[in-house]
Amino acid sequence: MSHSQRALTTGDLAALARLSAASHESIELYIAIDRLVQNMIGHRLFTMMRVHEAASEVERIYSSNPAAYPVGGRKQKAGTPWSRAVLDRGEVFIARNADEVREAIYDHELIFSLGIGSIMNIPIAYRDRRLGTMNISHEAGWFTDEHASAARLIAAFAVPSLLSS
């Protein structure tokens, strides 16, 4: 069973391309990406993170729930299974149930308190350099391989904002 709200369309991608090409603040792009992900895949929490390679950290630059996950929060990511998959190999990481979330995320109790039981983290990269991640969270068992493919396309639109700031 697919949990997609609706299919990703070329019109969706064209709208992101128009916004990206126009004069805009990064937050405007992140809001547009959040709305598209919500409409197309669905989520209970959506965040964007910037990679700080020298410090082996990621910093939250956008959050759909700033009370629980405020912008500016940083996390160490060196040497974890998550960082090896997403940051080292550039793979989409999916934890499909509570046990997998518990293994991957140190703040899993907060995640669970928000009704989240699965997570999908999409690397945002350019020329084999990880710039950030797009993170989508929902109920257990939510994410499909189709979601991962569509999310990769959407996440690519964040590359210029991560390169320019």
Side-chain angles (χ1 to χ4, degrees), residues 9-32:
T9 68
T10 54
D12 295 327
L13 298 176
L16 288 178
R18 279 191 302 276
L19 177 57
S20 183
S23 178
H24 68 279
E25 297 295 323
S26 295
I27 188 71
E28 295 173 88
L29 180 63
Y30 303 151
I31 289 168

Side-chain angles (χ1 to χ4, degrees), residues 21-91:
S23 178
H24 68 279
E25 297 295 323
S26 295
I27 188 71
E28 295 173 88
L29 180 63
Y30 303 151
I31 289 168
I33 290 172
D34 178 1
R35 286 184 186 141
L36 178 56
V37 168
Q38 180 65 284
N39 290 332
M40 202 218 53
I41 295 172
H43 67 71
R44 292 194 176 168
L45 175 68
F46 177 89
T47 64
M48 302 280 293
M49 308 287 281
R50 172 186 316 284
V51 172
H52 294 281
E53 290 177 296
S56 295
E57 292 180 330
V58 291
E59 175 188 12
R60 195 172 306 104
I61 57 174
Y62 176 83
S63 176
S64 66
N65 185 344
Y69 284 94
V71 170
R74 287 187 177 217
K75 298 179 182 181
Q76 281 290 129
K77 288 299 178 183
T80 66
W82 181 94
S83 71
R84 286 190 293 276
V86 178
L87 300 179
D88 296 346
R89 296 189 304 268
E91 300 169 356

Side-chain angles (χ1 to χ4, degrees), residues 23-164:
S23 178
H24 68 279
E25 297 295 323
S26 295
I27 188 71
E28 295 173 88
L29 180 63
Y30 303 151
I31 289 168
I33 290 172
D34 178 1
R35 286 184 186 141
L36 178 56
V37 168
Q38 180 65 284
N39 290 332
M40 202 218 53
I41 295 172
H43 67 71
R44 292 194 176 168
L45 175 68
F46 177 89
T47 64
M48 302 280 293
M49 308 287 281
R50 172 186 316 284
V51 172
H52 294 281
E53 290 177 296
S56 295
E57 292 180 330
V58 291
E59 175 188 12
R60 195 172 306 104
I61 57 174
Y62 176 83
S63 176
S64 66
N65 185 344
Y69 284 94
V71 170
R74 287 187 177 217
K75 298 179 182 181
Q76 281 290 129
K77 288 299 178 183
T80 66
W82 181 94
S83 71
R84 286 190 293 276
V86 178
L87 300 179
D88 296 346
R89 296 189 304 268
E91 300 169 356
V92 172
F93 180 89
I94 300 177
R96 298 183 190 279
N97 57 53
D99 289 338
E100 292 176 4
V101 170
R102 195 175 289 108
E103 274 183 39
I105 306 296
Y106 78 90
D107 61 344
H108 55 269
E109 291 303 326
L110 177 55
I111 288 281
F112 296 152
S113 77
L114 299 173
I116 293 167
S118 64
I119 58 171
M120 180 168 61
N121 305 119
I122 301 89
I124 302 170
Y126 182 72
R127 294 186 172 184
D128 208 27
R129 183 175 147 226
R130 300 316 160 238
L131 304 173
T133 65
M134 183 173 82
N135 312 298
I136 310 167
S137 305
H138 215 303
E139 66 189 47
W142 189 263
F143 299 111
T144 66
D145 292 340
E146 292 81 16
H147 289 149
S149 295
R152 271 198 181 274
L153 287 171
I154 295 167
F157 284 90
V159 167
S161 70
L162 293 168
L163 283 173
S164 67

